[in-house]
């Protein structure tokens, strides 16, 4: 089947490059290749492009340009925060307790495991049946020796938005740095770091129409976090390595584009999601919606279809031109059930019958016709 006849329903895993980003990147992939640290014109042009992209990013979530540090993606940003916070604390002979949550992305969870192996004490907050953290659980978990709290803004499997504002306020009152993994949210919902009251935020370009392999870490002015990468003086001495100029330019352009088209894209996503859920309910009345549609990201639909095997459904839907996923893309291929679904109380069997559909920038209102045909063929009599 031709790629173009596919309906892509996996925007939570990755998105294609926006044409605005592609256009913005082209000069830096073709003609302008100077090292941004070089003093001649070719270098200055690259440096200027990075400055503009940094301003676009800063405008995108209400921070100052100098609070943005470009990284290779969400994974690096998350690793940086967890591992370096732990290391800094050890050097300063500070506390050794970190709080995170059971439904975080593996970039956070596995980084926490790494520092736990070095002696750190990690508390994993549980979530409720809708995959939301409770503020009271955080309150009860905070200790004298807590050095960092890292909780995500929106879950990548269910789309559930977390009470970050309240949780960050709690930490601020006690002077504990608060990091949020906002990779699923940036470019999809309005974000203002000051409204949220957070100190650090991870984001990734390829989740909102930018290129893969580029991301950023927002670090609030005054928040201490030593470099993760050692080397040159790039990123104001905080992230060494020659900058991915084209990637940075593409991500800046993609964010600007995503923010202008956000309302329009979200409206289509919400409509398609409502219609798809209606179709699925009519075909599978005992369907379970995982997460919360009212207080979730607009594109995520995570459903358990009891009695149906997720992997089989994915392969059959692929034949009918629908790309969907089971839980998170990162968990696919592993025999373990999704840690998010199990944390919210789904059984192993239910987790094996769960699909994640994520609508977004490539979808059109008319996609519902093919979605309807495919699910009728899959689940109909
Ligand atoms: C995709 C994702 C990441 C990883 O980002 P990459 O840029 O792909 O490394 C981290 N956290 C969440 C919540 C994600 O969805």
């Amino acid at each position: 089947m031709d790629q173009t006849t596919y309906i892509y329903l996996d925007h939570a895993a990755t998105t294609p490059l926006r044409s605005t980003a592609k256009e913005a990147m082209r000069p830096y992939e073709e003609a302008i290749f100077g090292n941004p640290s070089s003093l001649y014109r070719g270098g200055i042009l690259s440096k200027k492009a990075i400055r503009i992209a940094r301003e676009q990013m800063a405008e995108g979530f209400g921070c100052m340009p100098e609070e943005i540090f470009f990284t290779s993606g969400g994974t690096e940003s998350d690793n940086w925060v967890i591992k370096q916070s732990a290391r800094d604390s050890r050097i300063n002979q500070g506390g050794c307790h970190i709080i995170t949550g059971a439904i975080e992305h593996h970039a956070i969870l596995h980084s926490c495991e790494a520092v736990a192996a070095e002696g750190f004490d990690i508390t994993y907050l549980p979530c409720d049946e809708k995959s939301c953290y409770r503020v009271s659980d955080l309150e009860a978990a905070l200790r004298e020796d807590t050095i960092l709290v890292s909780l995500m803004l929106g879950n990548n499997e269910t789309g559930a938005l977390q009470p970050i504002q309240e949780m960050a306020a709690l930490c601020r009152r006690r002077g504990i740095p608060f990091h949020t993994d906002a990779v699923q949210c940036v470019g999809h919902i309005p974000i203002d770091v000051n409204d949220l009251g957070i100190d650090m935020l991870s984001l990734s370009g390829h989740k909102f129409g930018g290129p893969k392999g580029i991301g950023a870490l927002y670090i609030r002015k005054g928040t201490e976090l030593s470099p993760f990468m050692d080397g040159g003086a790039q990123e104001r001495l905080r992230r060494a390595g020659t900058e991915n100029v084209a990637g940075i330019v593409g991500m800046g352009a993609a964010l600007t584009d995503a923010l202008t088209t956000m309302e329009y894209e979200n409206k289509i996503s919400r409509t398609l999601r409502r219609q798809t859920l209606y179709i699925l309910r009519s075909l599978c009345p005992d369907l379970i919606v995982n997460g919360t549609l009212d207080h979730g990201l607009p594109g995520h639909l995570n459903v358990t279809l009891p009695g149906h095997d997720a992997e089989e459904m994915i392969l059959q839907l692929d034949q009918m031109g629908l790309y969907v996923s089971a839980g998170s893309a990162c968990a696919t291929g592993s025999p373990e059930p999704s840690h998010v679904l199990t944390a919210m109380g789904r059984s192993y069997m239910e987790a094996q019958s769960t699909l994640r559909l994520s609508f977004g920038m490539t979808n059109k209102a008319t996609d519902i016709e093919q979605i309807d045909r495919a699910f009728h063929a899959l689940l109909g009599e």
Side-chain angles (χ1 to χ4, degrees):
M1 194 180 280
D2 187 324
Q3 282 280 334
T4 55
T5 62
Y6 272 97
I7 307 279
Y8 184 70
L9 300 180
D10 204 12
H11 294 82
T14 192
T15 57
L17 196 57
R18 289 176 187 271
S19 51
T20 44
K22 201 182 295 177
E23 285 311 308
M25 290 166 79
R26 201 190 306 277
Y28 302 93
E29 285 178 324
E30 291 171 358
I32 307 167
F33 63 89
N35 189 315
S37 299
S38 298
L39 296 177
Y40 42 81
R41 207 145 39 102
I44 291 166
L45 286 173
S46 293
K47 192 170 175 173
K48 183 173 169 211
I50 294 174
R51 179 172 58 73
I52 292 169
R54 199 185 305 283
E55 286 165 2
Q56 289 173 318
M57 300 299 297
E59 206 165 301
F61 43 91
C63 71
M64 292 183 286
E66 60 270 28
E67 294 174 310
I68 305 252
F69 298 89
F70 292 115
T71 65
S72 65
T75 299
E76 183 188 325
S77 298
D78 286 349
N79 270 263
W80 182 1
V81 173
I82 302 294
K83 294 180 179 171
Q84 220 52 42
S85 297
R87 197 170 170 195
D88 290 352
S89 183
R90 207 178 309 115
I91 290 166
N92 301 325
Q93 296 178 328
C96 60
H97 180 231
I98 292 176
I99 301 175
T100 184
I103 60 166
E104 296 297 309
H105 190 271
H106 283 133
I108 291 288
L109 293 177
H110 291 166
S111 294
C112 285
E113 281 166 30
V115 301
E118 293 168 9
F120 269 77
D121 197 5
I122 316 287
T123 298
Y124 297 92
L125 297 188
C127 67
D128 66 12
E129 74 290 347
K130 289 186 153 54
S131 69
C132 293
Y133 295 130
R134 282 170 294 240
V135 181
S136 56
D137 285 334
L138 173 62
E139 198 158 15
L142 288 168
R143 300 194 329 212
E144 274 304 308
D145 62 340
T146 307
I147 58 146
L148 174 74
V149 174
S150 176
L151 296 164
M152 71 198 333
L153 185 53
N155 183 262
N156 46 306
E157 295 193 29
T158 66
L161 291 167
Q162 308 298 330
I164 293 305
Q165 208 171 13
E166 294 90 321
M167 297 197 293
L170 205 60
C171 293
R172 168 144 303 182
R173 282 199 291 275
R174 299 181 194 223
I176 301 168
F178 192 100
H179 166 254
T180 192
D181 176 338
V183 172
Q184 284 290 313
C185 302
V186 171
H188 297 278
I189 54 168
I191 291 179
D192 185 299
V193 290
N194 294 313
D195 281 351
L196 284 175
I198 47 113
D199 302 302
M200 291 172 277
L201 175 148
S202 299
L203 64 94
S204 172
H206 75 97
K207 302 284 173 81
F208 55 84
K212 292 173 179 61
I214 185 75
L217 180 64
Y218 154 78
I219 309 177
R220 182 181 293 280
K221 200 171 171 208
T223 303
E224 279 173 43
L225 185 71
S226 59
F228 185 47
M229 301 286 257
D230 294 308
Q234 292 90 355
E235 296 295 277
R236 291 142 348 270
L237 290 165
R238 278 179 114 170
R239 201 285 189 177
T242 301
E243 299 89 339
N244 174 356
V245 182
I248 289 169
V249 166
M251 180 165 70
L255 184 60
T256 302
D257 191 21
L259 295 175
T260 38
T261 54
M262 180 186 288
E263 240 175 274
Y264 172 76
E265 286 174 9
N266 285 351
K267 198 164 159 230
I268 293 180
S269 290
R270 283 200 181 90
T271 305
L272 285 172
R273 181 173 71 171
R274 181 170 44 74
Q275 292 169 327
T276 303
L277 183 57
Y278 182 84
I279 292 163
L280 287 172
R281 274 223 171 93
S282 72
L283 292 164
C284 183
D286 52 353
L287 157 156
I288 306 164
V289 175
N290 299 307
T292 157
L293 300 188
D294 301 330
H295 197 62
L297 287 162
H300 290 59
L301 178 61
N302 189 302
V303 286
T304 300
L305 303 164
H308 299 274
D309 181 70
E311 210 172 296
E312 248 168 62
M313 287 193 282
I314 291 169
L315 297 178
Q316 282 180 334
L317 288 169
D318 182 0
Q319 294 296 310
M320 296 180 274
L322 235 53
Y323 279 173
V324 309
S325 106
S328 73
C330 320
T332 311
S334 108
E336 293 294 307
S338 144
H339 65 287
V340 176
L341 292 169
T342 43
M344 52 199 292
R346 295 274 89 89
S347 68
Y348 180 84
M349 284 294 286
E350 285 170 334
Q352 301 294 43
S353 301
T354 300
L355 293 182
R356 176 188 68 183
L357 316 184
S358 45
F359 302 90
M361 54 175 280
T362 69
N363 295 130
K364 303 182 295 297
T366 51
D367 287 353
I368 197 62
E369 293 157 24
Q370 194 169 331
I371 294 171
D372 185 59
R373 272 198 304 277
F375 279 112
H376 270 89
L378 180 76
L379 303 168
E381 295 305 314

